[in-house]
Amino acid sequence: MWPDPAFGDAGAMSVIEVTDLRKSYGGRAAVDGVSLAVEEGEIFGILGPNGAGKTTTVECVEGLRVPDAGRVRVTGLDPVADHARVARVLGAQLQQSELQPKLTVREALELYASFYPRPLDWAPLAERLGLTAQLTTRFARLSGGQKQRLFIALALIGNPRVVVLDELTTGLDPRARRDTWQLIEDVRASGVTVLLVTHFMEEAQRLCDRIAVIDKGRVAALDTPAGLIRRSAGATVISFTPSAPLDDGELAALPALASVDRKEGRITLAGTDETVNAVITLLARHRVTAHQLRVVDATLDDAFLDLTNTDTKADTADTADTADTKETAS
Amino acid sequence: MSTAVLRTEVRLFRREPGAIFWILLFPTLLLVILGSIPGFREHQSDLGGLRTIDVYVPVAVLLGLIVGGLQSMPQTLTGYRERGILRRMATTPVRPSALLSAQMAVYGGAALASALLALVTGRLAFGVRLPEQPLGYLLALLLAVLVALALGSVVSALSRTTKIAGAIGSAVFFPSMFCAGVWLPVQSMPHLMARIVDCTPFGAAAQALNQAAAGHWPGWGHLGVLAAWILLLTGAAVRWFRWE
């Protein structure tokens, strides 16, 4: 889809350009030389373990933080020096923020719409986000999911060219999460560029055209979701229960094999398509039947764990399930 | 200043019955209670022939702006920062300073309305004469409002959480009320104490208001003390205020 997965379309000006960004808090580098470019009309994901520097990076893009070093440009403008102009084209949904407790949903939408020169009509937007029944509800009385949807609406109300969504679907139930994904795809289809910070692999895999995996303040990999998966050692996983024992040595000799695992008579192999073909040949040669044969592509999860550091593995596996873990960088 | 933000903050203020009572109604209520005591409606020689109720009208006028500026505003502003409301506003073309100035306008306006209510009630219920030097009175009152807002901003700047804002606010609140003469009007204070109180923001404000009420142009000394405090406190608030 993109000419060069790492740098996008080199001819056009990128909507967001981050070059060698650095930001430290109290001597600890939160962002340590991040470079990336987000092209017009794409959904660009930033993925990484907690505290990797994802939020700090997007806060520099939003103009909320002043970088220690490096260059940030949004539609060619400096988000700090040219704040007002950048704010008019950039809609933001922050990871942790609230509104005045007694402000109603409708008042919030009208207020934020008044900040922009060409805002969207708030009523259809509220309907798209399922907030029509809550228009007269005060912010403090909204559920977590309703608050989240309101903040997505506020990010879009200014009719922005680019939206930055930080932990977009955190706090949403699975159905609302899927609805929100559809909404983001619609938003992109209308020509808006999306920068998405997430720790949900499924979300990144489903939505993103390209993903930057950030770890310890640096870009560990930048590619399409499929490209990231291909990079991981075991891109294809074959599992089966053989009708007769198979020789370990023969399994280990399979081409492009990344790992072998035996558990309760079931064999799980990670490798490539080449490995799959070789396994089938091996089974046929020994006239062994493979019960419950499954061949699945590795997920972004596997690629992510490969790319980010080993000592964070347990941590990141957890965060894929627990919705409310927060990055502690700020 | 964004008018949409101001409109919203006015609307939100109207949803705070507590703030409305303590800023708008409580000072006048106190005036009515004190005025209901017969002895307070008699002329006192140690007050220069004035009645106690006469000297309490300026106290009531100051009370509303002390409550609004030192108790309510720092709580609201610190809450806005604590909850990330200022941060959210910072990502829009309207800067979070719009919220700050709207808050000041709301509490400044409420304090002025409270002052007006106290003056009118004093006049109608107890025959307290309206300020005989209205321009001087208005000037002193505006400076008093500004000093209350500036002091409240410093409280908010120094407070990381609403709890701290409440604590610091109260710590400043009671001395401020004392200086304004809530317990003992400045005119009745012993000489040395009155001299010291004259140097405080609300002591100077009380004196300036009293002079203007009596028909004199408020002393430049008192106005100067107020102006100095406004500059000092505003500078401190600007220096220490954090958006997040």
Side-chain angles (χ1 to χ4, degrees):
Chain A
M1 191 180 311
W2 301 97
D4 176 348
F7 297 103
D9 184 355
M13 185 187 74
S14 304
V15 175
I16 297 173
E17 279 178 345
V18 176
T19 315
D20 204 24
L21 177 69
R22 284 164 207 277
K23 179 80 189 174
S24 307
Y25 302 111
R28 197 187 70 87
V31 176
D32 192 15
V34 163
S35 299
L36 50 89
V38 181
E39 306 305 331
E40 180 105 49
E42 76 173 323
I43 302 180
F44 188 97
I46 293 184
L47 203 61
N50 292 337
K54 309 187 292 286
T55 293
T56 304
T57 302
V58 295
E59 280 174 345
C60 290
V61 170
E62 291 160 339
L64 287 175
R65 293 192 189 282
V66 183
D68 295 340
R71 202 177 109 108
V72 179
R73 291 290 179 272
V74 176
T75 64
L77 303 166
D78 181 337
V80 176
D82 246 328
H83 180 270
R85 284 165 75 193
V86 168
R88 265 179 235 134
V89 297
L90 183 144
Q93 174 247 324
L94 306 179
Q95 192 184 116
Q96 282 163 299
S97 68
E98 290 183 45
L99 294 175
Q100 293 91 322
K102 293 189 178 179
L103 194 67
T104 69
V105 168
R106 181 183 169 155
E107 286 163 357
L109 290 168
E110 286 179 333
L111 176 66
Y112 277 74
S114 78
F115 297 163
Y116 297 93
R118 283 178 304 280
L120 296 179
D121 195 353
W122 60 263
L125 184 62
E127 198 180 330
R128 260 168 86 192
L129 282 153
L131 288 168
T132 308
Q134 278 78 40
L135 285 177
T136 56
T137 308
R138 292 177 178 185
F139 179 80
R141 300 218 181 107
L142 295 174
S143 72
Q146 288 164 346
K147 285 179 183 171
Q148 192 74 348
R149 280 182 274 145
L150 176 57
F151 278 118
I152 296 169
L154 294 183
L156 296 172
I157 193 114
N159 200 4
R161 274 186 68 190
V162 49
V163 282
V164 179
L165 306 165
D166 194 350
E167 304 286 348
L168 169 74
T169 57
T170 297
L172 296 185
D173 61 50
R175 190 201 176 92
R177 182 170 298 152
R178 273 172 178 74
D179 290 348
T180 308
W181 290 347
Q182 184 59 50
L183 176 83
I184 298 310
E185 283 172 339
D186 294 348
V187 165
R188 186 263 292 276
S190 69
V192 179
T193 306
V194 180
L195 178 60
L196 185 74
V197 176
T198 186
H199 58 230
F200 289 116
M201 302 300 152
E202 196 189 349
E203 181 167 294
Q205 196 163 359
R206 151 99 189 252
L207 287 177
C208 297
D209 299 310
R210 292 188 303 144
I211 295 170
V213 177
I214 295 191
D215 188 31
K216 298 204 171 86
R218 294 168 174 277
V219 177
L222 200 167
D223 208 333
T224 62
L228 288 176
I229 294 166
R230 271 199 305 275
R231 287 186 191 200
S232 69
T236 305
V237 179
I238 313 126
S239 61
F240 56 91
T241 310
S243 59
L246 285 172
D247 179 49
D248 268 347
E250 275 188 292
L251 287 176
L254 288 168
L257 185 77
S259 68
V260 184
D261 183 44
R262 284 177 186 266
K263 200 180 278 176
E264 291 162 18
R266 192 162 178 81
I267 298 173
T268 304
L269 306 166
T272 65
D273 285 346
E274 204 187 337
T275 323
V276 181
N277 289 329
V279 168
I280 291 168
T281 312
L282 179 75
L283 291 169
R285 202 166 60 231
H286 293 290
R287 298 181 181 279
V288 170
T289 310
H291 294 293
Q292 291 168 310
L293 172 67
R294 302 282 183 274
V295 180
V296 293
D297 286 335
T299 59
L300 199 50
D301 247 352
D302 306 314
F304 179 78
L305 292 177
D306 264 4
L307 286 164
T308 55
N309 220 316
T310 41
D311 57 22
T312 57
K313 271 184 185 177
D315 184 38
T316 49
D318 275 344
T319 56
D321 305 318
T322 50
D324 50 2
T325 30
K326 301 284 186 194
E327 212 165 328
T328 50
S330 60
Chain B
M1 171 82 79
S2 149
T3 51
V5 173
L6 178 60
R7 251 200 330 271
T8 302
E9 291 305 311
V10 169
R11 192 183 272 162
L12 291 173
F13 177 73
R14 295 211 313 255
R15 289 177 193 163
E16 298 294 341
I20 290 173
F21 173 78
W22 288 105
I23 299 171
L24 286 174
L25 303 179
F26 171 67
T28 299
L29 191 68
L30 187 70
L31 194 65
V32 170
I33 292 169
L34 292 174
S36 308
I37 301 168
F40 283 4
R41 295 199 301 270
E42 281 161 18
H43 296 275
Q44 309 274 329
S45 55
D46 61 342
L47 288 175
L50 289 172
R51 301 168 302 164
T52 305
I53 188 69
D54 292 322
V55 298
Y56 260 104
V57 169
V59 172
V61 162
L62 288 177
L63 194 54
L65 59 93
I66 291 173
V67 175
L70 296 188
Q71 293 282 77
S72 304
M73 192 181 75
Q75 291 268 344
T76 314
L77 280 183
T78 308
Y80 281 6
R81 179 178 49 212
E82 202 180 0
R83 293 163 184 271
I85 297 168
L86 296 178
R87 257 167 77 75
R88 182 61 189 84
M89 194 71 92
T91 66
T92 72
V94 174
R95 304 309 302 256
S97 56
L99 260 179
L100 237 59
S101 43
Q103 278 286 310
M104 292 189 179
V106 166
Y107 286 108
L112 287 176
S114 167
L116 192 67
L117 185 65
L119 284 172
V120 169
T121 306
R123 174 73 190 85
L124 296 180
F126 308 108
V128 178
R129 296 166 96 172
L130 290 178
E132 293 178 28
Q133 171 51 262
L135 263 182
Y137 198 88
L138 190 65
L139 177 66
L141 187 57
L142 287 178
L143 289 177
V145 168
L146 288 179
V147 86
L149 295 177
L151 191 51
S153 305
V154 172
V155 172
S156 182
L158 296 178
S159 311
R160 210 165 35 79
T161 66
T162 45
K163 269 190 186 152
I164 299 173
I168 300 182
S170 296
V172 187
F173 179 65
F174 289 102
S176 296
M177 290 214 298
F178 177 83
C179 294
V182 172
W183 289 283
L184 186 65
V186 187
Q187 294 98 319
S188 311
M189 289 179 187
H191 183 68
L192 180 65
M193 186 191 282
R195 286 289 297 276
I196 295 167
V197 165
D198 274 355
C199 298
T200 68
F202 295 107
Q207 292 284 33
L209 289 178
N210 284 330
Q211 289 170 335
H216 311 292
W217 186 257
W220 291 110
H222 298 313
L223 296 179
V225 168
L226 278 171
W229 276 109
I230 292 167
L231 288 177
L232 185 77
L233 293 169
T234 306
V238 169
R239 170 79 178 75
W240 287 316
F241 193 84
R242 291 286 171 266
W243 295 105
E244 52 186 85

